[in-house]
Amino acid sequence: MSTQAETKRLTAPDIRARKGGTPIVALTSYHAHTARIVDRHCDVILVGDSLGMVMHGLETTVPVTLDMMILQGLAVMRGSRRALVVVDLPFGSYEASREQAFASCARVMKETGCGAVKLEGGRRLAETIAFLVERGVPVMGHVGLTPQAINTIGSFRAQGREEKDWAAIEDDAQAVADAGAFSVVIEAVAEPLAARISAQLRIPTIGIGASAACDGQILVLEDMLGLSPRVPKFVRRYGQLGPSIEAAVEAYANDVRARGFPGPDHVYPMKTKPS
Ligand code: KIV
């Protein structure tokens, strides 16, 4: 039996069962190589639609397509073995109807082999989430700041910083949980509200800019690695990949210009002496 067959992947019910337990560790990944590393340390890998901004330099996630998500989802599935891989449903692929949402989920799950999908929205998506869950689609919710709504909300700003806004966000989170989501991402929400929602819900909350009171944490990999040029306030940079890539590229360019690369170790010698 191969090692691959012996490693059991985490499932949505495994993550659901972690409510109130050891914090759930999640990161995004869009490639096989980074997925391989992330997989060794994380419980969940999110193939987020942030790939539109991170990989493609888009201003928002709105232009991201289902085909883009499937291509990167497949790469992450190939690179990982143990973590639950969750693929984002991009803007326009699920909001029109429950049937449209199911058709998109079916494509994502069949074509990538991922274990769950994530979609943005609270109360207004509850019926869709219930429809999907009843049909075998594990759904991770996403409330608070929902970047796909950028054109109606106007800017990527923190939510729930005034008490008058709390009820709507709490209601969104509760609706997603009641609809059968196995967990919910809470993005950029004031600390006391995130703590309140985490205490109220029976499913794990996964915070991004939502305090340590959540049942787990997620960050965009390139943000925490120090590769993204600009990052939100809630990001801690655990690496400085940008400057380190810059230094490597500069050294390579200098070597090539000085004919210092390739060196004797990087060429193929002849098997027999040329006549
Ligand atoms: O697309 C993404 O990377 C996300 C995370 C920010 C949670 O949704």
Side-chain angles (χ1 to χ4, degrees):
M1 191 191 282
S2 73
T3 328
Q4 186 133 6
E6 284 161 20
T7 309
K8 189 186 166 312
R9 245 187 219 281
L10 291 171
T11 63
D14 293 331
I15 299 302
R16 164 74 184 79
R18 298 269 296 271
K19 176 70 189 175
T22 324
I24 297 159
V25 185
L27 277 172
T28 63
S29 166
Y30 322 123
H31 329 91
H33 290 344
T34 56
R36 200 163 289 124
I37 298 168
V38 170
D39 189 58
R40 291 201 281 270
H41 305 276
C42 292
D43 306 304
V44 175
I45 305 179
L46 173 68
V47 185
D49 63 354
S50 53
L51 66 80
M53 299 168 79
V54 175
M55 288 181 69
H56 298 276
L58 295 167
E59 285 293 313
T60 74
T61 56
V62 172
V64 174
T65 66
L66 204 54
D67 287 339
M68 288 161 83
M69 298 309 305
I70 289 172
L71 197 61
Q72 283 0 104
L74 200 51
V76 168
M77 283 300 292
R78 286 194 199 106
S80 62
R81 297 191 328 195
R82 183 191 156 269
L84 171 67
V85 174
V86 181
V87 175
D88 255 347
L89 291 187
F91 178 72
S93 70
Y94 63 97
E95 303 89 330
S97 66
R98 308 179 308 182
E99 289 74 14
Q100 183 208 24
F102 182 75
S104 297
C105 292
R107 267 201 73 196
V108 168
M109 293 175 72
K110 280 172 186 281
E111 294 180 36
T112 70
C114 72
V117 301
K118 176 166 82 58
L119 53 81
E120 293 184 11
R123 169 77 50 201
R124 75 186 167 83
L125 262 309
E127 216 183 286
T128 298
I129 294 173
F131 186 84
L132 295 174
V133 174
E134 277 164 20
R135 283 157 184 77
V137 180
V139 177
M140 178 182 275
H142 184 153
V143 302
L145 175 63
T146 49
Q148 291 176 12
I150 184 65
N151 290 309
T152 46
I153 59 178
S155 68
F156 296 115
R157 62 172 187 280
Q159 308 288 302
R161 296 184 71 194
E162 293 188 60
E163 232 173 306
K164 68 174 175 49
D165 300 328
W166 283 20
I169 303 170
E170 278 182 78
D171 181 58
D172 276 342
Q174 193 62 58
V176 164
D178 292 345
F182 69 93
S183 63
V184 61
V185 167
I186 305 184
E187 178 164 355
V189 162
E191 181 170 14
L193 175 58
R196 217 171 123 100
I197 294 173
S198 297
Q200 281 164 8
L201 296 192
R202 284 165 293 115
I203 59 170
T205 55
I206 303 189
I208 173 160
S211 91
C214 293
D215 300 292
Q217 298 296 323
I218 184 160
L219 284 176
V220 170
L221 182 67
E222 286 77 355
D223 289 354
M224 60 85 87
L225 288 179
L227 191 56
S228 308
R230 277 173 297 124
V231 294
K233 169 192 163 68
F234 55 73
V235 173
R236 180 181 290 168
R237 290 187 195 253
Y238 286 86
Q240 288 299 337
L241 228 55
S244 136
I245 293 176
E246 175 100 43
V249 171
E250 191 183 2
Y252 165 74
N254 290 341
D255 278 357
V256 170
R257 290 194 181 104
R259 298 202 186 278
F261 176 82
D265 295 344
H266 312 115
V267 294
Y268 295 102
M270 294 293 289
K271 283 188 177 155
T272 54
K273 267 204 163 139
S275 48

